[in-house]
Amino acid sequence: MADEPGPAFDAFVRARYSSLCRVAFVMCGDWQQAEDLVQTALAKTYVAACRGGVDSLDAYVQRVLVTTRATWWRRRWHGETPSADLPEHPTSDAYEDADRRSAVLAALATLPAPQRAVLALRFLQDLSEEETGRVLGCPVGTVKSRTARALRTLRDSGLLADKHETIREEACHHA
């Protein structure tokens, strides 16, 4: 057994924990599950690092995060049916950012898990197409096609349309 990663691993966790939680949250849509997912991925990464089989902690933990999420998703009961329409009320208060974040998360939840994973890694982690392909274990072409398909689906769904702007335009025409 190789030496324990020790202080280097501790520093890695302190530096990357919040970022990993954000990625996990986008992948699963639940903050508590995201934290559980990150802790599980870090535990698996630590064990692998102790064995000496990890070249890059960052790449390894991201890969474990994606595969662990996929495993958990397969085991989860899918009997619930999410509603496609959420009630939207125009606001111009401090909650507008929270509403927008909720709309984005709802739209992301409509995508298949592989497309959400690509978007999370490409746009939240700011990984290149090549790095994303390495983490997901797929060719760059697959990363490109999943990204394009996901973005097209989000655009076509209308879930991210600015409903506040539409309401303002209608009010101006009636005034």
Side-chain angles (χ1 to χ4, degrees):
M1 184 174 211
D3 293 333
E4 288 189 20
F9 190 80
D10 291 344
F12 170 77
V13 171
R14 277 193 292 284
R16 300 287 290 136
Y17 185 79
S18 294
S19 176
L20 291 168
C21 283
R22 285 191 301 273
V23 169
F25 179 71
V26 169
M27 289 169 48
C28 67
D30 178 83
W31 191 254
Q32 289 175 334
Q33 186 180 21
E35 288 179 330
D36 290 346
L37 184 60
V38 169
Q39 289 173 9
T40 301
L42 288 170
K44 290 178 178 182
T45 302
Y46 183 82
V47 170
C50 285
R51 291 183 187 143
V54 177
D55 294 329
S56 166
L57 285 175
D58 207 32
Y60 193 89
V61 76
Q62 288 174 357
R63 177 69 179 163
V64 171
L65 195 66
V66 170
T67 56
T68 301
R69 167 63 180 130
T71 301
W72 287 6
W73 184 85
R74 285 185 202 111
R75 290 181 186 161
R76 198 180 110 221
W77 179 66
H78 296 287
E80 295 179 22
T81 306
S83 173
D85 299 320
L86 295 175
E88 290 289 332
H89 304 288
T91 62
S92 59
D93 59 17
Y95 298 106
E96 189 169 353
D97 288 340
D99 290 342
R100 184 173 293 118
R101 192 170 24 258
S102 177
V104 168
L105 290 172
L108 288 171
T110 65
L111 297 174
Q115 290 180 8
R116 280 197 314 271
V118 166
L119 292 182
L121 293 171
R122 289 279 292 124
F123 300 110
L124 274 177
Q125 289 295 303
D126 201 26
L127 296 183
S128 70
E129 291 166 338
E130 292 80 16
E131 292 168 325
T132 301
R134 272 195 299 277
V135 169
L136 296 175
C138 64
V140 172
T142 301
V143 172
K144 289 180 180 182
S145 65
R146 283 181 184 170
T147 302
R149 224 175 275 126
L151 294 175
R152 183 176 51 247
T153 300
L154 291 174
R155 269 192 302 274
D156 293 347
S157 73
L159 293 173
L160 297 179
D162 190 352
K163 293 178 173 76
H164 303 298
E165 190 61 36
T166 305
I167 291 168
R168 281 188 222 117
E169 288 173 8
E170 289 175 7
C172 289
H173 290 297
H174 290 106

